[in-house]
Amino acid sequence: PNTHPKNTTKKEQTMNTQTNPQEPETHHIENHGTIQLVQAYANDLTVVNAARVSYGKHTNTLTEPDIKLIHYLMKNGHGTPFEHNMLTYKITCPIFIAREWFRHRTASYNEISGRYTQLPQTKWTPQPHQLRTQTGKPGHYQYQPANPTQAQQAHQIIQNINQQTQQAYQQLLNLGIAKEHARIILPLTQTTQFIYTTNARSLLNLISLRNHPTAQHEIQQYAKTLEHTLHQHMPHTTQAFIQNGRKAP
C-alpha cells in the first residue's frame, strides 16, 4: 500500500499517542505472511517536541510551522527527534525474510522458539508466477519471471521439499527426539513469528532499504505495509519521508 489516508487533524494528532485498545488489524502479505501493529506510542507531535526542547519549548497542538519543521528535519538529516516514539508489531513470515529483517539491529526482537514449542506446519511454497531467474554478477543481478516450464518444475520441487521436511520433523518428534534437534531439518520457507519493537527513525531506515527496487521482492511487500501503518500514526513524518525520496534521516 503506497497510497495513504488523508492527514489527521490537529485534534486527532493529540489523541493518537496512546496504545491501541482494539484488536490490531491484520495485514496479509501476499501468500506468505502477516503484519499486526499491536501498539503504538507515536505521533508527529513527538518529533516536534523532541526538536523544540532544544529551545525549552513544548506544544500540545500540531501547527503549520510544526509540519514545516518536520519536513526541515527530514530533509536535513536531523534524525534524533524521530526516535522519541515506539511501535510494536507482531510479524509472521518465512525464516528467510526474518533473517533479512534482523539485520536491522536498532530494534528489539523476540522470536518463537523451536526449542520450547512445536513450530507451525506452514511453509511458503511460491506459486509459479512468483518464481524468478537471475543473471549478472553479485550486487548487479537482473531478475526476470521464470518461464512456465521452469516455474512449474521449481514450484513442484519446493512443494515436495516442504512436505517431506514437515513429515520428517513430525516423525522425529514422534520418536521422542527433542524439539531443539527436530527443528534443524526445517527449510528457510518455514513460517516463524516474532515481536518487533522500534522507533520511527529505525523503521524509516528499514523501509528505505527494503522498499527499494534492489531489495528482494518478498521483503519489499512487508516494507510497504510498514510504511502504511506508520502513516496512520505519523502522517506528516511519513509524507516528509516520501518527499525526501524515502531517504531516512
Side-chain angles (χ1 to χ4, degrees):
N2 271 332
T3 57
H4 303 296
K6 292 175 64 177
N7 291 342
T8 54
T9 65
K10 295 176 183 178
K11 181 178 179 182
E12 288 170 330
Q13 279 281 290
T14 61
M15 297 292 289
N16 219 11
T17 307
Q18 303 303 316
T19 56
N20 306 330
Q22 68 273 20
E23 184 69 21
E25 180 182 1
T26 299
H27 302 270
H28 293 274
I29 314 300
E30 295 189 335
N31 60 341
H32 47 74
T34 60
I35 289 178
Q36 291 180 318
L37 177 58
V38 297
Q39 63 179 7
Y41 182 89
N43 65 26
D44 293 313
L45 277 173
T46 63
V47 179
V48 171
N49 285 324
R52 295 206 188 278
V53 75
S54 300
Y55 298 96
K57 295 184 181 298
H58 182 89
T59 181
N60 293 317
T61 305
L62 194 70
T63 64
E64 199 61 39
D66 294 330
I67 295 169
K68 291 179 180 178
L69 174 61
I70 291 171
H71 282 260
Y72 173 85
L73 295 170
M74 186 73 69
K75 181 178 179 180
N76 291 279
H78 298 292
T80 54
F82 297 95
E83 296 176 7
H84 299 276
N85 46 72
M86 183 189 74
L87 303 103
T88 297
Y89 295 89
K90 183 177 181 181
I91 310 296
T92 62
C93 65
I95 288 175
F96 75 90
I97 291 175
R99 295 302 166 259
E100 288 197 2
W101 201 310
F102 289 3
R103 296 300 298 161
H104 299 269
R105 296 188 294 274
T106 51
S108 298
Y109 298 94
N110 281 89
E111 186 177 13
I112 189 171
S113 172
R115 291 190 69 199
Y116 304 137
T117 189
Q118 183 172 334
L119 294 172
Q121 296 185 19
T122 50
K123 295 169 181 59
W124 183 49
T125 299
Q127 294 302 304
H129 73 272
Q130 295 175 300
L131 290 161
R132 302 178 291 276
T133 62
Q134 69 180 41
T135 57
K137 298 179 180 179
H140 301 281
Y141 287 131
Q142 299 292 319
Y143 297 93
Q144 299 293 333
N147 68 49
T149 301
Q150 288 175 310
Q152 190 57 48
Q153 290 179 356
H155 167 79
Q156 195 61 57
I157 290 168
I158 297 169
Q159 185 175 66
N160 290 344
I161 289 294
N162 283 343
Q163 292 172 349
Q164 291 166 14
T165 54
Q166 181 59 38
Q167 290 170 0
Y169 176 65
Q170 192 61 55
Q171 289 171 348
L172 289 170
L173 294 175
N174 292 343
L175 284 172
I177 299 301
K179 297 182 185 72
E180 64 185 24
H181 283 159
R183 65 179 174 168
I184 67 177
I185 65 168
L186 294 172
L188 293 178
T189 56
Q190 171 67 42
T191 295
T192 187
Q193 57 182 258
F194 60 93
I195 300 297
Y196 165 59
T197 298
T198 188
N199 62 53
R201 186 184 189 186
S202 295
L203 183 59
L204 291 173
N205 178 262
L206 183 152
I207 294 169
S208 82
L209 294 171
R210 300 302 181 179
N211 184 14
H212 189 276
T214 60
Q216 184 164 345
H217 170 81
E218 284 73 29
I219 201 169
Q220 284 185 47
Q221 309 316 306
Y222 291 83
K224 290 175 181 178
T225 299
L226 290 172
E227 183 178 297
H228 173 73
T229 63
L230 180 63
H231 187 275
Q232 293 176 322
H233 289 269
M234 303 179 71
H236 298 292
T237 294
T238 309
Q239 287 298 334
F241 171 67
I242 293 169
Q243 290 180 24
N244 198 43
R246 288 190 168 87
K247 181 181 177 183

